[in-house]
């Protein structure tokens, strides 16, 4: 048990009930003023949050980025006024009372659901249920690895998530409950707002399983506590710290506690709060402070409970870091900043050159596996994982596993839990200090689409590798053949979708992806071997998103063939047919649309060609390609789902051939 | 216990071991010939499948569509040779030995993963893990409701799913395990291929939870059985039938059983099988039959075990149906065919007319809720459900809940389990006889994207209602504001995406969606009130996908404004601005792109206008709109994620206004 875990009593004369009521009335005043919001969770969770924040949570409101702070996740993000009230009472400078007043107004930081902003004390964006607790499990993995790697004097903090019934019904929750128990993430604690109520009414409508038992079978410690008793919750939090297992504290609460009209009622979840409700609630609580007013003694007690309690530990931690050997300290601080080690970009450039020279015929999946191998040797905080596809994605080589017994291992066995992986990677990147890499088949990206969206929304640089990217996988058939995924990933704002054509472009795309700081990347790879189409690697051409791979010959360009990934070589073969007929034809490789869209218009026009026939070829649906080919251009690709058969036969079967591409061009000349 | 549940002994002299080995050698021969496939599951599951098919499963290979057949789902679809061998041995005409020989060849029915084809005896397409068992839970719900409604003399069958470790790790599995236990689906049985092995190696790498305990806490009966002992599995199946709870039979098996080189090894999951392996396996089993050869006595025993055992029950069932009162029989048979009752289409047309007359200002979510109410009164087998969004989607009105105690209720409380809902609806529609309707917020469609894809691939007419479709939802903020979803749903082959503009189009779109027989529909609705833009409802204009809502006036059309849903009224306001300046401007409403794409080119050209400026407006990302506006057209919409604030302010903030649309047109005139 760490010395930080000792609960401190509330400051002189201020009862824990008043400290919790301060949350309640900030929440109620804000929700009433906004005429919108969810009162149920902040009212029901006020004591639980008070116990955690004023007695246990390690944080420093004056330094919200303190790497060794405990992480707090409000997984039931609709209860956002709970975290805003907590941050205000804790003294975060970014959360003054004006922000509380501006709850849900356009331009405020007090959004309908909490949005990641570490300056404010908000670790992750939450709202879509289940995401927050899965983020928390990722954070706990990051902490465990960092602690094992840098030592507990530098990294030794807990991860807490406040979770509602909704979070615990979602499938992703069960994936991470199972995995967290398996990995014995002992510094992880879920505080369950067990109020027996959801938006639809009593939980009995839809669940009768023994939730406590469900955690126990997964290897968790389970503690019951009266969720309206700060002492009881605090005592449970102490027990949580003393057990090597992750802990669920089942906090029995009343939804909307303190709001007489709605307390313990379905309507408390998201119902309107009116002025009369405030009058009634104030009378019931004996709360005499006005709207948005926190009595001075209560405010003081909160500051003492949060800042006063934690300050010595913060100072001591700073001293320990300062005393680290210079190289260890530099390594820790670099990883915390999320910077790459020196030499990574250079190594990737060298890899591109080597591949241009060697010109292998291999899958881009294999090229990516080699790069993961390469950078794993250069980036000590790189933590790859491929949910039950370690063999096909080949990205574990030489790395020990992160296990319950050895937290310094770097390969994460996620099990067959893609959704968990996606959400956990968000938590790991949000935590900082580690660089997770997830790998799965492209079709399974749908299983993790909710966290992909959250990574894009949070602007987290999460990189996921997707292999088996088209009908090229062959006999496994249409269930495993992506056709709509390039389009659906391209539809997501702030997601960079890379589909390299060969080993050279793969190295180039990795360089771009690893350099992205404010958004996720999808690295799309083939299962089948692809010829090397790039023989020059002096300049990272993929860094412009699209480029002329081969210009037309024999006069002004008449045709531009646009392609990505495995279809670049189809386009090259089509070009040969057209050039043989005297048609000057350029091939443009487009490994990343999003990057190309950011290029100057003049460059785009130069690459695409003006007044030429444009034909696109991609073994996927057309949606979006009109952006590049217009209404007059041609598209050779998929019109529906794939089929089961050898990959080369499928390209013929679906008409994705050089002849078809050349034919589409001829028809427009 | 039904009289059908008595196990029959294997036919004279043929041991159950040989009956199981017949599966093994068909699988091995096929996988070796295809040089591809997954031997682990068919070899490991041979005895389990033999016990089920020859002793318990109610089916009639000569009438694969028998409505009261038991449903069998191979949830671990990669083990597809197991089901193909089973269907061949059971005597399904569509699965002759030629098909087994053609395993994984292009054009065969023996695809890499099983693809739904009831003629062949394949109930659902499986492969993406977890989907199959969730389908099975949906089937069990359908059965329970039909049995309660039509009586157990007409509907009384079981649903079995063979599941692997992968299926049970996926989140969706936990959603349905919890819900199936809650609903006490006593005719549901999972047979767990408990082989301690996944593609990555031993299950210990990624799971240590007590799987049996996990089912028990959810209210399931759990039985252990030696998975290589047909008698033991058969006895467990008998116990399953005698318990009111759903049952998990944990069948301890060895992956790749009978293939000496790979038995109980990681490589058995999907490893190659060679000619020498066949020799070794034959020697070990004493199997003397040649490749693709089933000894006559074994074949005969299989036919007796399947067809012989079931024939009397089939004949008796036919007689009971024939004896039904004519109206009840007609109702049953109509629902089984998936036809709508008479009058539904007319009622929707009448609703469209009434709305055109009343011209309400209301959300299309409300318009849809009214339609669900209307058709629930006309379609007795309509079973709606909205995972914890019953209030916001308002589609329960007047319907009792389907509960453990009352299986005749029609409203399904899915809990906060969107993925389960999607996969269960696929199972319900695949089962037949019921018409589920799911409703949730559009952002949560990502949680159910894997089953949406499967419904599209299986060509199942599953309708899902998605409310809260844009920034128009306002203060809940970007986590709950879809911007990329219209594009990502439109990317999916065979998915019809409807986004009606008002109450009239809503009724029209429902008519189209309910008439679709071979693909899913997404009904996208606003939360905010929308004015009625259509005042005529004689003809279902939405049935053409897009149509001219208002033609340009004062000369030949110069501008076409294209819009969907809530932005149609923005386009109308922009038209007013342009017409006031003397610019002849048409507004085209496009409630369904997919339907419009199927129209004759001449109609498309007429609607879109030639040689005119085209401007599209949609509160979503642009991806795909170039299909209609080309490179020269304008687009007014979202460029990234939304924000938290009042909906009307957000439309201003993001520049989705009549002035912006008119300005985009002016700039191109």
């Amino acid at each position: 048990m760490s010395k930080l875990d000792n609960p401190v009593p509330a400051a002189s004369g201020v009862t824990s009930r008043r400290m919790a009521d301060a949350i309640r009335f900030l929440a109620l005043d804000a929700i009433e003023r906004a005429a919108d919001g969810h009162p149920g969770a902040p009212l029901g969770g006020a004591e639980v949050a008070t116990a955690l924040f004023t007695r246990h949570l390690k944080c420093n409101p004056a330094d919200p980025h303190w790497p060794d702070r405990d992480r707090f996740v409000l997984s039931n993000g609709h209860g956002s006024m709970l975290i805003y009230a907590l941050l205000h009472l804790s003294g975060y400078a970014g959360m003054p009372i004006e922000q509380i007043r501006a709850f849900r107004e356009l331009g405020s930081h007090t959004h309908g659901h909490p949005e990641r902003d570490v300056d404010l004390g908000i670790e992750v964006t939450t709202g879509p249920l289940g995401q927050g607790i899965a983020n928390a499990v990722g954070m706990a993995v990051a902490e465990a690895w960092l602690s094992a790697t840098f030592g507990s004097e530098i990294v030794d903090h807990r991860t807490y998530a406040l979770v509602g019934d909704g979070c615990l019904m979602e499938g992703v929750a069960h994936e991470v409950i199972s995995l967290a128990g398996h990995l014995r993430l002992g510094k992880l604690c879920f505080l369950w707002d067990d109020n027996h109520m959801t938006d639809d009414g009593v939980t009995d409508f839809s669940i009768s399983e023994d939730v406590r038992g469900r955690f126990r079978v997964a290897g968790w410690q389970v503690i019951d506590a009266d969720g309206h008793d700060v002492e009881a919750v605090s005592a449970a939090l102490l027990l949580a710290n003393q057990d090597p297992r992750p802990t669920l504290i089942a906090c029995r609460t009343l939804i909307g506690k303190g709001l007489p009209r709605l307390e313990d009622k379905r309507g408390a979840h998201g119902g309107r709060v009116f002025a009369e409700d405030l009058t009634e609630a104030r009378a019931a609580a004996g709360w005499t402070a006005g709207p948005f007013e926190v009595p001075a003694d209560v405010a003081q007690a909160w500051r003492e409970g949060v800042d006063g309690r934690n300050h010595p530990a913060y100072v001591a931690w700073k001293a320990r870091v300062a005393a680290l050997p210079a190289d260890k300290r530099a390594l820790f601080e670099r990883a915390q900043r999320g910077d790459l080690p020196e030499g990574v970009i250079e190594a990737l450039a060298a890899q591109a050159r080597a591949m241009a020279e060697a010109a292998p015929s291999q899958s881009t999946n294999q090229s990516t596996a080699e790069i993961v191998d390469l950078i794993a040797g250069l980036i000590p905080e790189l933590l790859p994982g491929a949910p039950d596809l370690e063999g096909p994605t080949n990205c574990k080589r030489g790395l020990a596993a992160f296990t319950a017994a050895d937290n310094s291992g770097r390969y994460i066995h996620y099990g067959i839990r893609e959704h968990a992986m996606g959400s956990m990677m968000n938590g790991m990147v949000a935590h900082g200090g580690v660089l997770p890499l997830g790998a799965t088949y492209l079709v399974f990206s749908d299983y993790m689409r909710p966290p992909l969206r959250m990574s894009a929304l949070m602007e987290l640089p999460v990189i996921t590798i997707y292999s088996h990217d088209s009908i090229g996988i062959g006999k496994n058939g249409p269930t495993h053949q992506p056709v709509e995924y390039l389009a659906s990933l391209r539809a997501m704002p702030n997601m960079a979708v890379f589909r390299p054509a060969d080993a050279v472009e793969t190295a180039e795309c990795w360089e771009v992806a690893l350099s992205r700081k404010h958004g996720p990347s999808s690295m799309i790879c083939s299962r089948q071997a692809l010829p090397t189409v790039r023989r020059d690697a002096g300049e990272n051409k993929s860094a412009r998103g699209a480029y002329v791979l081969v210009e037309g010959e024999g006069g002004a360009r008449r045709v531009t063939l646009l392609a990505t990934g495995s279809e670049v070589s189809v386009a090259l073969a089509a070009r040969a047919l057209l050039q043989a007929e005297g048609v000057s034809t350029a091939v443009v490789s487009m490994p990343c649309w999003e990057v190309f869209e950011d290029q100057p218009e003049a460059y785009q026009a130069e690459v695409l060609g003006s007044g030429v026939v444009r034909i696109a070829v991609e073994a996927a649906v057309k949606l979006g390609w009109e952006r590049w080919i217009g209404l007059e251009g041609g598209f050779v690709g998929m019109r529906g789902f794939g089929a089961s058969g050898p990959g080369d036969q499928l390209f013929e079967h679906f008409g994705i051939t050089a002849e078809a591409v050349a034919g589409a061009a001829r028809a427009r000349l």
Side-chain angles (χ1 to χ4, degrees), chain A residues 210 320 460:
Chain A
D210 171 8
R320 290 198 299 277
L460 293 176

Side-chain angles (χ1 to χ4, degrees), chain A residues 551-574:
Chain A
E551 190 47 274
E553 287 170 15
R557 189 201 298 185
R558 294 176 63 199
V559 173
T560 303
L561 304 180
L562 305 160
T564 74
S566 49
E567 285 70 68
V568 172
S569 54
V570 177
L572 287 170

Side-chain angles (χ1 to χ4, degrees), chain A residues 417-507:
Chain A
R417 306 183 183 100
E418 299 84 5
H419 197 162
M421 177 176 79
S423 305
M424 285 171 63
M425 288 203 297
N426 288 353
M428 292 161 83
V429 172
H431 180 281
V434 297
L435 179 61
L437 283 185
T440 186
Y441 291 166
L442 182 52
V443 285
F444 299 141
S445 66
D446 270 354
Y447 277 80
M448 47 189 286
R449 199 165 161 89
L452 291 180
R453 178 171 199 260
M454 296 304 279
S455 65
L457 182 55
M458 286 192 268
E459 304 186 353
L460 293 176
V462 179
I463 303 177
T464 314
I465 300 161
Y466 298 113
S467 177
H468 291 53
D469 72 346
S470 76
I471 54 169
I473 70 158
K475 298 178 183 177
N476 268 332
T479 57
H480 286 57
Q481 291 164 353
V483 296
E484 73 277 33
Y485 288 76
L486 292 169
S488 64
L489 287 171
R490 287 170 180 153
M492 194 176 279
N494 202 29
M495 170 66 74
V497 182
F498 296 92
R499 190 172 186 241
D502 67 5
V504 178
E505 280 194 3
T506 302

Side-chain angles (χ1 to χ4, degrees), chain A residues 6 72 121 132 172 193 219 260 265 327 334 340 344 369 417 426 469 474 639:
Chain A
N6 295 315
F72 172 71
V172 66
D193 183 19
K265 293 204 176 67
D327 56 344
R334 178 195 56 71
L340 293 174
V344 172
R417 306 183 183 100
N426 288 353
D469 72 346
R639 299 179 58 86

Side-chain angles (χ1 to χ4, degrees), chain A residues 1-12:
Chain A
M1 188 172 93
S2 150
K3 59 190 174 305
L4 294 173
D5 295 330
N6 295 315
V8 297
S12 51

Side-chain angles (χ1 to χ4, degrees), chain A residues 295-362:
Chain A
D297 61 333
V298 175
Q300 178 62 20
W302 267 92
R303 299 298 172 92
E304 278 174 24
V306 180
D307 197 45
R309 178 175 56 83
N310 278 307
H311 196 70
Y314 177 74
V315 172
W317 182 85
K318 290 290 249 190
R320 290 198 299 277
V321 171
L324 282 176
D327 56 344
K328 189 173 176 184
R329 179 174 173 180
L331 176 59
F332 178 74
E333 292 181 342
R334 178 195 56 71
Q336 287 293 328
R337 284 193 306 273
D339 291 343
L340 293 174
E342 280 180 28
V344 172
I345 296 301
E346 293 74 11
L348 290 167
Q351 173 77 358
R353 287 192 300 273
M355 290 296 105
E357 182 69 27
S361 177
Q362 68 183 24

Side-chain angles (χ1 to χ4, degrees), chain A residues 54 66 104 122 235 279 281 333 365 389 433 453 478 587 604-605 659:
Chain A
T54 66
W66 179 15
R104 290 187 163 229
I122 299 172
T279 308
E333 292 181 342
N365 179 41
L389 293 172
R453 178 171 199 260
V587 170
Q604 292 185 9
E659 188 43 59

